[in-house]
Amino acid sequence: MSIIQDLQLISNDRVMSLDEKLANLLRIGTKALRLETGIVSNIQGERYRVRSVVTFDDNIPKGAEFSLHDTYCADVASEDSVIAYHNIDVQPGASHPCFEKYTLKSYLASPIHVFGEFYGTVNFSSLSPRNEPFNELEMDYLLLLATWIGNELERQQSISNLNAQKVMFEERNSLLNQVTNLAGVGTWELDVESGAVIWSGALKRMFHVHSDRVLRAEDILKFIAHDEHRKRYAEQFENMTKTGGDFCYEVEIRTDAGETRWIESRAHPIMQNGRCVKVVGATVDITQMHIDKAVLQHKSDLAQNALKARGEFLANMSQQIRTPIHGVQGMLEALMGTSLNPKQLELASLATQSADTLLDIVNDILDFSKIDAGELVFEDASTSFAEVIEEQIPMFTRLAEEKGVAFSVSTAALQGQYFMADKLRLGQVLINLLNNAFKFTKEGEVTVDTKCVRYGKGRYRVKLIVTDTGMGISAQQQKFIFTPFMHIESTPAENTTQHRFEGTGLGLPIVKQIVEHYNGKIEVSSELGIGARFTVTLTLDDANVGAEEEKAVDQNTIYIPSKAELSTLKALIVEDNEINQLVIKEQLKEIGLVSDLAVNGQEAVEKVKRSMAEKSPYALILMDCHMPVMDGLEATKQIRLFDQQSAEIPIIALTANVATKEKEKCLNSGMNDFISKPVGVSRLKECVFRHLSKQLKNNVSALKDPA
């Protein structure tokens, strides 16, 4: 039998182990090459290990290890080619490092490559030299054996790798099954062509399906509880198989036991040549999540409704209170304009202070209700923070003198600086902080300090620091002072039977909201019996460019009419409250305007129509919004429809409702402006003059009879 046939028989033998095959291949080699010993070596670095060996006296054990440089195979590894020494005494001779160590006299070896990498050698040797060099046929035999051995090693390594991967996949699959079972995840697989479905045990348990039941593709849709969901699920699933995109769907199902559950299904299509052949997926029971979500939504709705109801209640009550306050303040203002003796003037002044305090409380409640509704409006314009502070100095200076408390203010850091900010809101911050400082300070001093540093291009960090030497705030109370309706309590040492100071407990929470609007923060530092320091930090945009020009334009915008000019004009008051009718009429009289009265919107429409017909139209209309018969919004709309002249009459909303939506309604109905009750003479005068200035700037009234 030829060597090729022998090699073929050995390679095709499925029973023979790799070690047996290597030994048989070496025996074929020793016989064909007429050499005594055959070795397959594995060489790694400097280590030489005998992988398989055939020798006449079995004096070399399998697995024996040597230093590579102590073997002739070092030459093979170095050259990575066949080495043939038929007579070692001649070549390589006594100069070779191995000559003295071994008694070999002939040696023939070839490198073995496995997957293209050097593995080791197949070498044959004998203790006696050969008379002639190895011929070409013998060299071919050697190369053939080396290739054959390399192939067998590759095959064995591939089998080992596959077995290792199989074990690894089995372990991972087992772990995945355990994890999915623990997590309540059911896996599934659909063969698109055959319609065969494979469900995991966890998925069958989820759907209460018997473990032995065989499912088909058409059975799956039957679990979906509602027809419209079933149709939509099928459409999305079909779209996935066409496009190759992943699929995710939440749907309500009805299990085999009749129980209703919610599941989330995720699927991934496996495409071949643009066609979906298989879909693998996972399903999880999300019933509890749906229940929790519904409960949470219900609680959230209840909380939102409660907040909305509270906000509406506070806003409505505050607006109802503002109407009588308007009457009280207006009458007191008119009373103090008459001749009063000192005692009467003192009593009227005290009543005015009480009305002002009541109005502050109502305004706080309104602001808080706006914050609750997210309607707190900021009208930013070029503003001097220094002027905002200085405008409040006289009022608090008088308060300091009354209490015998020192009061000092420093605005040097803000002088000449204009910022884009809401002047009213900045004033609220200062007034609230100073009110608290004076409220809790019986002796010592109250100081206001300011700082201003550039914070990037066109921006500044502005600090307002209010310090007092009052009773101080405990560490426990500091945790709650910015919480709505919480009050600062007095200390046991305070000589009072009341342990809470008057107020709404809304001042500091409102300040906090304003400060946070300007990307800032408010901090408090305090010790009981020593005092408190509130530090407000605001981030404001620079408005210096054009501020002076804008200020000059503003000053020139409002024309101040003479009494002679005002005497030619007539205003219409539309108001159903008798006290407010009297207050507004007296205020307009003080301004210099004659006025007519209408008690509801319908009467106002008729009076305006009559005045137009008589060629004596009204120069201005002050319109209440909420009235019987016809409200102010509808009346405004009807007046605007008369003609061009009536469309240009300034109509100013005068109402106790200061909600943002109310202002929008007024302006959308055709009104020109919005002013809230209660209103003093000075504020009403500024508003009236601003709207009359277009008519009177050149001492020509566009509303006079053109004849």
Side-chain angles (χ1 to χ4, degrees):
M1 187 178 292
S2 70
I3 187 172
I4 298 296
Q5 290 175 318
D6 290 341
L7 293 175
Q8 192 73 31
L9 286 173
I10 293 170
S11 295
N12 292 334
D13 194 325
R14 296 182 178 275
V15 178
M16 195 180 300
S17 68
L18 176 63
D19 288 340
E20 291 174 332
K21 287 182 178 182
L22 292 178
N24 286 331
L25 291 173
L26 289 176
R27 291 190 185 95
I28 292 173
T30 55
K31 181 179 179 182
L33 298 172
R34 292 169 293 136
L35 295 172
E36 300 165 353
T37 302
I39 298 175
V40 174
S41 70
N42 177 222
I43 297 173
Q44 296 182 3
E46 299 300 317
R47 187 174 63 86
Y48 176 101
R49 186 175 68 86
V50 176
R51 175 70 176 79
S52 182
V53 59
V54 171
T55 182
F56 68 93
D57 57 1
D58 295 329
N59 62 337
I60 302 175
K62 178 183 175 183
E65 292 190 5
F66 306 94
S67 171
L68 175 62
H69 292 291
D70 291 340
T71 70
Y72 287 106
C73 286
D75 298 347
V76 182
S78 175
E79 299 293 333
D80 196 19
S81 64
V82 173
I83 296 295
Y85 300 142
H86 74 283
N87 187 343
I88 290 175
D89 290 337
V90 177
Q91 185 192 9
S95 62
H96 196 282
C98 301
F99 188 83
E100 298 293 336
K101 295 180 180 179
Y102 302 107
T103 57
L104 299 180
K105 295 302 177 182
S106 56
Y107 172 84
L108 179 65
S110 171
I112 298 173
H113 294 93
V114 175
F115 295 115
E117 299 292 331
F118 179 77
Y119 174 86
T121 65
V122 53
N123 59 85
F124 297 93
S125 59
S126 180
L127 297 178
S128 58
R130 285 170 56 104
N131 295 325
E132 68 282 342
F134 295 102
N135 58 41
E136 286 187 13
L137 181 59
E138 291 171 328
M139 300 286 267
D140 288 342
Y141 283 162
L142 175 67
L143 291 172
L144 185 61
L145 282 170
T147 301
W148 223 271
I149 291 170
N151 289 338
E152 288 298 327
L153 290 171
E154 283 184 0
R155 183 188 299 177
Q156 183 64 31
Q157 189 169 323
S158 296
I159 292 171
S160 298
N161 289 340
L162 286 173
N163 288 335
Q165 288 179 5
K166 182 180 177 182
V167 171
M168 180 183 69
F169 286 141
E170 288 175 349
E171 290 176 351
R172 287 184 178 179
N173 193 46
S174 174
L175 180 62
L176 180 61
N177 287 334
Q178 293 178 37
V179 170
T180 54
N181 285 332
L182 288 172
V185 178
T187 57
W188 52 271
E189 182 179 310
L190 167 68
D191 187 300
V192 175
E193 297 216 356
S194 67
V197 178
I198 299 174
W199 273 22
S200 68
L203 187 57
K204 286 187 174 181
R205 288 191 294 274
M206 189 185 301
F207 280 66
H208 300 141
V209 172
H210 193 277
S211 58
D212 295 334
R213 180 179 170 186
V214 178
L215 293 164
R216 302 285 300 173
E218 56 268 20
D219 297 328
I220 308 304
L221 290 175
K222 296 177 183 178
F223 287 104
I224 298 177
H226 304 290
D227 291 341
E228 63 272 19
H229 292 168
R230 191 179 301 120
K231 181 180 178 182
R232 197 175 304 128
Y233 187 95
E235 288 173 351
Q236 292 196 15
F237 198 93
E238 184 179 358
N239 184 60
M240 173 196 65
T241 60
K242 290 179 179 178
T243 63
D246 285 354
F247 171 86
C248 181
Y249 198 86
E250 288 185 13
V251 67
E252 190 177 17
I253 61 145
R254 188 169 288 108
T255 69
D256 266 3
E259 183 179 348
T260 299
R261 312 288 293 173
W262 275 92
I263 57 101
E264 179 182 86
S265 181
R266 292 178 178 269
H268 175 72
I270 297 174
M271 312 293 287
Q272 287 184 4
N273 299 322
R275 187 170 57 87
C276 180
V277 296
K278 187 181 292 186
V279 180
V280 294
T283 300
V284 62
D285 188 328
I286 57 171
T287 305
Q288 190 59 48
M289 186 177 75
H290 264 260
I291 294 172
D292 294 342
K293 185 178 179 180
V295 171
L296 185 62
Q297 185 62 49
H298 178 65
K299 290 181 178 179
S300 177
D301 291 342
L302 289 177
Q304 289 294 333
N305 290 335
L307 282 174
K308 183 179 179 181
R310 182 183 72 176
E312 290 177 351
F313 172 76
L314 292 174
N316 289 333
M317 289 303 297
S318 300
Q319 288 151 15
Q320 292 298 321
I321 295 169
R322 288 175 73 91
T323 297
I325 291 177
H326 183 211
V328 171
Q329 286 187 319
M331 290 294 97
L332 287 171
E333 189 175 39
L335 178 62
M336 293 179 70
T338 64
S339 299
L340 299 175
N341 63 41
K343 184 63 176 178
Q344 291 171 330
L345 185 60
E346 180 186 357
L347 293 175
S349 298
L350 289 172
T352 299
Q353 290 176 15
S354 295
D356 291 343
T357 300
L358 180 59
L359 182 60
D360 288 341
I361 292 172
V362 171
N363 286 337
D364 277 352
I365 295 173
L366 276 172
D367 276 344
F368 179 72
S369 67
K370 288 179 184 178
I371 291 170
D372 255 7
E375 295 179 351
L376 192 63
V377 175
F378 290 82
E379 297 180 354
D380 291 346
S382 180
T383 302
S384 168
F385 202 171
E387 290 180 7
V388 171
I389 297 171
E390 288 162 2
E391 286 175 1
Q392 306 302 326
I393 291 176
M395 178 176 66
F396 287 103
T397 298
R398 288 194 297 272
L399 182 58
E401 290 172 352
E402 291 173 5
K403 299 193 71 170
V405 174
F407 179 47
S408 63
V409 178
S410 173
T411 60
L414 301 177
Q415 292 298 329
Q417 293 289 342
Y418 284 79
F419 307 100
M420 292 304 297
D422 189 320
K423 181 178 180 180
L424 174 64
R425 301 304 176 195
L426 295 183
Q428 276 185 280
V429 171
L430 176 67
I431 291 169
N432 272 296
L433 294 180
L434 282 177
N435 275 335
N436 280 343
F438 279 105
K439 185 187 297 183
F440 303 126
T441 303
K442 287 189 173 182
E443 58 184 17
E445 65 176 346
V446 173
T447 64
V448 177
D449 195 13
T450 56
K451 294 181 180 179
C452 180
V453 294
R454 189 172 289 278
Y455 186 69
K457 186 177 181 180
R459 307 198 87 188
Y460 286 90
R461 275 284 175 88
V462 178
K463 285 195 175 183
L464 174 68
I465 305 162
V466 177
T467 308
D468 66 66
T469 57
M471 70 180 195
I473 309 168
S474 69
Q476 182 64 23
Q477 287 178 328
Q478 288 178 38
K479 298 177 182 178
F480 304 106
I481 57 174
F482 298 110
T483 303
F485 303 109
M486 295 296 290
H487 297 258
I488 298 176
E489 297 183 356
S490 63
T491 64
E494 295 285 336
N495 186 20
T496 177
T497 56
Q498 278 192 312
H499 293 292
R500 288 181 183 269
F501 287 89
E502 295 179 355
T504 60
L506 293 174
L508 288 177
I510 291 171
V511 167
K512 184 172 183 288
Q513 291 286 339
I514 294 171
V515 170
E516 288 177 350
H517 172 79
Y518 289 109
N519 297 315
K521 60 181 178 179
I522 180 170
E523 300 169 292
V524 59
S525 173
S526 180
E527 288 186 36
L528 285 175
I530 295 178
R533 170 177 291 176
F534 284 85
T535 302
V536 167
T537 304
L538 305 170
T539 304
L540 301 176
D541 291 331
D542 186 3
N544 272 322
V545 179
E548 294 300 327
E549 292 83 349
E550 184 178 329
K551 186 176 180 182
V553 170
D554 288 342
Q555 289 174 343
N556 293 327
T557 299
I558 299 176
Y559 174 77
I560 308 299
S562 66
K563 289 187 177 181
E565 289 174 311
L566 289 172
S567 66
T568 64
L569 305 177
K570 185 170 58 176
L572 177 63
I573 302 168
V574 189
E575 170 66 63
D576 65 320
N577 183 282
E578 293 181 2
I579 295 176
N580 283 335
Q581 292 170 2
L582 181 58
V583 169
I584 299 168
K585 194 172 185 68
E586 286 298 318
Q587 288 175 332
L588 289 179
K589 183 178 179 181
E590 184 175 339
I591 291 171
L593 280 173
V594 177
S595 59
D596 282 348
L597 179 66
V599 297
N600 58 58
Q602 184 172 328
E603 186 177 334
V605 171
E606 293 170 356
K607 281 182 175 284
V608 171
K609 185 184 292 185
R610 190 180 309 121
S611 71
M612 302 290 290
E614 295 172 352
K615 304 295 184 180
S616 59
Y618 293 107
L620 184 80
I621 300 174
L622 296 176
M623 182 79 73
D624 188 21
C625 292
H626 301 284
M627 297 176 291
V629 184
M630 181 186 291
D631 63 29
L633 303 178
E634 181 59 31
T636 299
K637 292 176 182 177
Q638 292 195 20
I639 290 169
R640 294 304 189 204
L641 293 175
F642 289 160
D643 56 26
Q644 183 62 33
Q645 196 174 14
S646 69
E648 294 177 356
I649 300 175
I651 302 178
I652 301 170
L654 189 60
T655 176
N657 190 334
V658 293
T660 303
K661 292 180 180 178
E662 185 70 15
K663 184 174 182 179
E664 291 176 356
K665 287 179 182 177
C666 292
L667 297 178
N668 290 335
S669 72
M671 295 185 187
N672 300 86
D673 207 344
F674 180 99
I675 189 167
S676 61
K677 299 175 185 176
V679 58
V681 173
S682 59
R683 189 155 66 102
L684 182 62
K685 184 177 182 179
E686 187 274 331
C687 182
V688 168
F689 282 4
R690 185 170 69 252
H691 287 282
L692 292 179
S693 62
K694 291 181 180 179
Q695 305 168 41
L696 301 174
K697 187 174 285 188
N698 298 313
N699 288 331
V700 177
S701 175
L703 297 179
K704 288 184 181 180
D705 185 350

